[in-house]
Amino acid sequence: TKHPFCLAQPVRVDMPGFRGGELRFRVQGDPGILLLQNPVLTAMGTRPVDMRPDMVVFLADTFRADNLSYWGGDPRLTPHMNDFGKGARVYTDAHAPGSWTIPSQAALLSGSYAPQVGIDGETFSLPKNLDTLARRLNSAGYRTAAVTDGHFVSEHFGFDQGFEVFLESVEHAEFDLKTLKRVQTVLDADDDRPLFLFVQSYRSHTPYWVSDQSMAEHPELFGEDPDRADWNFDELFERVGLGMDTRDIRSLRADGSAEQFVADVDNLKRMYQGASADLDRGFGRFLEQLEAAGLGEAYLVLTSDHGEAFGEHSGWVHGTNVHEEQVGIPLILRGPGISHGLRRGPVSLVDVTFTLAELAGVGPGQHWMGRSLLGPAQQGVPVFSFESPSSDKPNNVAEYAIYQDGRKVIGPMEGGLIQREPARAYELGADPAEESAIPAKGSWGEQMIQSFSSQLERATKAFAKAEPKPISQDDLQKFKAM
């Protein structure tokens, strides 16, 4: 079921006299390529006995929270996602568990922070037999399916655990062909079991490809008559060089080179926003697919795994620090009984794992660290984000962040170990862009680290060992192309 042309399909068999017993399947003639795997018997066309809810997660990879109007974004950019939020609960203080793909999505699917499952660098996969949300739901009778854009979110890195159907893309294509076509095959294979569907898309990831439609529909980004030759990602990316904080550049004398740098960064961000507009249009079509398949009342989560930096805090793209442009994410939950409106207070993707298990009537895993998003906001409960120390990084130095009640403190990690010496702190309520750091030592920032030291220790103590997964030269070139 992991191959796009090897999908589980329902087959109706009329057996009016069947009252139970053994069924045997026989192939007549040359079988060619035939696979009978994990057959499920159900009475098709009748009222389903299992009335547990369908659940869907749509993860927009590399998607900043401020692409949406709820986080201060231009409402023209993502109208479908903004409209989706009107009938849902919007968690305005959501944070990614990690600042790049593998650790953050590993946390979402496993309910555990990346250090707990031993994720260290880009050449490690999820440990085998992990107590993932998909495995727990599948064991409880759910049909579990994933549609991903591959690369890191792939079988190679262990993300297929617990999914009966895992359709990862092996080629670049338009969103309709690459993602929605695979989604439709999953929806068409309904067998009356409740469905857990996970969809992940790199549509707004580098190289920020923008369709002609988005260029035409967003003159505020690309001008009235855009010339595609003016929007060459490779040229812009090479000229920027990922070298300096954009605020430092702006403080320099406008000598031409600084102006060009700022203009190039600004154009890169415009391309990123254009690609995000394309993703939003695809999300609108995705909602139509769900409605047509009778899943309009499913619990649906819209979120991301991390954001994207354009020189803020000397960070570029993602995976380089734990500031809000990289770990601040959108999180919206819609479904029966979910009250509409904005919900403040720090939450995480590990809370999504816990919440979906709760909705399905399945208990949490032993090492899960999340809490329910369904009840009232809990005061004083911490949330963590990790740069996720990379073994590829000099001296294996990284950062972690603790969030509590509108406050944030950042501290260092060395060799995967938490250092309790705080670096800086921020009052996010008054300073959401983190422009005015507070010296953390001797302040409430240091007290936060001390107060939550036991939870932080649990979040960074490995209970499983990730597997080394060397990347082939072919895959390495694909990753670099992204």
Side-chain angles (χ1 to χ4, degrees), residues 151 170-172 473-482:
H151 294 290
V170 294
E171 58 185 10
H172 290 284
Q473 286 300 313
D474 182 55
D475 284 339
L476 185 62
Q477 292 304 316
K478 292 178 181 178
F479 292 154
K480 288 182 177 181
M482 290 179 62

Side-chain angles (χ1 to χ4, degrees), residues 357-369:
E358 180 183 9
L359 288 169
V362 176
Q366 177 184 355
H367 299 285
W368 291 12
M369 288 200 66

Side-chain angles (χ1 to χ4, degrees), residues 77 214 218-223 231 267 269-271 273-274 277:
L77 185 64
S214 283
H218 292 280
E220 75 279 6
L221 297 177
F222 305 105
W231 303 94
N267 284 339
K269 190 169 184 180
R270 289 170 187 262
M271 292 185 69
Q273 291 174 320

Side-chain angles (χ1 to χ4, degrees), residues 396-434:
N396 203 5
V397 176
E399 292 183 331
Y400 67 92
I402 306 175
Y403 299 87
Q404 182 202 23
D405 300 339
R407 286 179 163 179
K408 174 181 182 178
V409 62
I410 295 176
M413 298 179 72
E414 294 184 13
L417 300 176
I418 292 292
Q419 305 300 305
R420 302 189 185 280
E421 188 77 13
R424 53 201 180 280
Y426 298 91
E427 293 277 7
L428 291 182
D431 181 25
E434 300 171 299

Side-chain angles (χ1 to χ4, degrees), residues 315-396:
W316 293 93
V317 291
H318 47 270
T320 54
N321 61 46
V322 287
H323 283 283
E324 292 307 285
E325 58 273 5
Q326 293 196 43
V327 296
I329 56 172
L331 177 57
I332 303 177
L333 171 62
R334 187 187 76 178
I338 303 296
S339 60
H340 305 168
L342 306 182
R343 174 66 62 85
R344 291 178 172 80
V347 295
S348 169
L349 292 184
V350 293
D351 300 325
V352 173
T353 318
F354 190 99
T355 303
L356 294 180
E358 180 183 9
L359 288 169
V362 176
Q366 177 184 355
H367 299 285
W368 291 12
M369 288 200 66
R371 61 189 188 276
S372 177
L373 296 171
L374 303 179
Q378 301 181 39
Q379 299 296 317
V381 178
V383 160
F384 306 117
S385 288
F386 299 98
E387 185 182 335
S388 295
S390 173
S391 55
D392 304 325
K393 205 172 179 184
N395 302 318
N396 203 5

Side-chain angles (χ1 to χ4, degrees), residues 100-124:
W100 59 284
T101 297
I102 286 183
S104 197
Q105 295 194 42
L108 169 65
L109 294 178
S110 73
S112 305
Y113 288 102
Q116 292 180 279
V117 295
I119 298 297
D120 180 21
E122 298 179 357
T123 56
F124 285 81

